[in-house]
Amino acid sequence: QNSRDFFTNNASRFREQQDLIAAPERYATAVNGLLDTLQLATQSIALEVGPGEGWLLPRLSAQFERVIALDNAPAMLETARSAAQGLSNVEFLLGDTRHSALKSLQADLIVINMVLHHTPDPAATLREAAGALAPGGALLVTELCEHRQGWTRENCGDLWLGFAPEMIQDWAASAELQELTSSYLGQRNGFKLQLRLFGAAKITS
């Protein structure tokens, strides 16, 4: 509820808040590079959890047959919808990773971009998302490394001050995901970003 309220009340200031920490243009090249290297059996369905302003949706739309944008704040979902105008294969869901639609989803790619530090239970969010992956699918997490800048709680709606890389690794392992690759990027004001790509096991005969 805290996350939903914050983004409902601050949707118009979203870019300003991002610029204080990690503006998308500072790491978009790295994210696109990871997407270029994906080796997936199919590229049918992509799910983005918390699409923000929707800057990644056009790229996902070009790469996947169907794209789902999931957000728990109606105002942010509308912002993402505006960014996806003209993209006929993008659909929008209001809710979080407990949404009933995810129970039957078999996504080839799931993106959780700068979302976990806004969630009350990031381990559960990652686990629930992983449950919607198709066998052999990939889950991309971009997230802040742990920091001590408490002002982000009030100014940016953060519930967590980033995460140690080992924490995300442990949560992914508990969700039966294997790490495929990782990279780390410096950002403004002393923040550091971790880009983590995990894979779901393939079904073997």
Side-chain angles (χ1 to χ4, degrees), residues 47 49-50 70 72 96-98 102 110-113 115-132 139 141 143 160 163 171 175 177:
L47 165 68
V49 178
L70 174 73
N72 70 351
D96 56 26
T97 48
R98 296 168 295 181
L102 269 62
I110 296 178
V111 178
I112 307 177
N113 176 40
V115 168
L116 293 180
H117 61 271
H118 292 294
T119 64
D121 190 344
T125 297
L126 195 152
R127 182 179 65 252
E128 290 158 0
L139 190 150
V141 175
E143 190 49 72
W160 300 84
F163 306 100
W171 297 336
L177 299 176

Side-chain angles (χ1 to χ4, degrees), residues 53-77:
E53 289 185 309
W55 65 271
L56 193 53
L57 294 177
R59 167 57 196 269
L60 295 176
S61 171
Q63 188 169 354
F64 292 85
E65 296 175 13
R66 178 188 176 199
V67 178
I68 302 168
L70 174 73
D71 204 296
N72 70 351
M76 290 309 304
L77 203 62

Side-chain angles (χ1 to χ4, degrees), residues 31-104:
V31 169
N32 286 325
L34 280 176
L35 295 178
D36 286 337
T37 66
L38 288 177
Q39 297 181 355
L40 302 171
T42 67
Q43 297 192 16
S44 298
I45 302 175
L47 165 68
E48 184 171 11
V49 178
E53 289 185 309
W55 65 271
L56 193 53
L57 294 177
R59 167 57 196 269
L60 295 176
S61 171
Q63 188 169 354
F64 292 85
E65 296 175 13
R66 178 188 176 199
V67 178
I68 302 168
L70 174 73
D71 204 296
N72 70 351
M76 290 309 304
L77 203 62
E78 287 306 308
T79 300
R81 193 188 300 273
S82 296
Q85 284 186 353
L87 303 178
S88 60
N89 62 337
V90 181
E91 57 194 82
F92 299 86
L93 282 178
L94 179 62
D96 56 26
T97 48
R98 296 168 295 181
H99 197 291
S100 59
L102 269 62
K103 298 187 185 304
S104 59

